[in-house]
Amino acid sequence: MNKESRKYIRNVMRGKDFLIDFINAALAVGILVMVVLNSFGEGTGMYFPQIFGFGALLAGFNCIKKIRARSGFAFAFGGFAILMAVVAVLCYLKI
C-alpha cells in the first residue's frame, strides 16, 4: 500500500460519520444474513421482527447522519425509521 492510500484511509477513519457508516454496514450484513436464514427451514417468518428492527436502526442512524449534515432528507429517514419500528412491533405481536 502506498503512502497516499494510507493517508486517505486514515482521513476517512477520522471522519465524523465513519462510525455511523461502519455500524450501518454491520446492520446491513445482519439484515442480509437474517433474510437468508428466514427463507430456509421450518420457521419461515420468525426473523421478521428482527429484520424490521434492524431496518429501523439503519434508517435512524441515517437520519442522525443527515441531521448532522443539515439535510432536509433527514425527515424522510426519520419517518421511515418510525414506520419500520411500527412494523417490527406489529410483526412481534403477530398482528
Side-chain angles (χ1 to χ4, degrees):
M1 193 181 318
N2 59 19
K3 186 176 182 180
E4 291 86 18
S5 298
R6 278 185 254 143
K7 187 175 181 181
Y8 174 76
I9 291 171
R10 271 191 252 130
N11 285 337
V12 167
M13 290 178 71
R14 287 185 190 144
K16 65 180 178 179
D17 291 333
F18 175 74
L19 184 60
I20 290 176
D21 289 336
F22 184 76
I23 292 170
N24 281 344
L27 285 171
V29 169
I31 289 171
L32 290 174
V33 168
M34 283 189 285
V35 166
V36 169
L37 290 175
N38 197 39
S39 62
F40 296 118
E42 295 177 14
T44 56
M46 72 180 206
Y47 288 113
F48 280 155
Q50 291 86 0
I51 291 169
F52 286 116
F54 277 22
L57 284 173
L58 193 69
F61 284 132
N62 281 323
C63 178
I64 292 169
K65 187 176 166 181
K66 292 298 179 184
I67 287 172
R68 285 183 182 175
R70 299 182 191 270
S71 173
F73 205 62
F75 292 111
F77 277 117
F80 189 63
I82 291 169
L83 177 68
M84 294 289 275
V86 167
V87 172
V89 169
L90 291 176
C91 284
Y92 180 72
L93 297 175
K94 296 181 182 174
I95 294 177

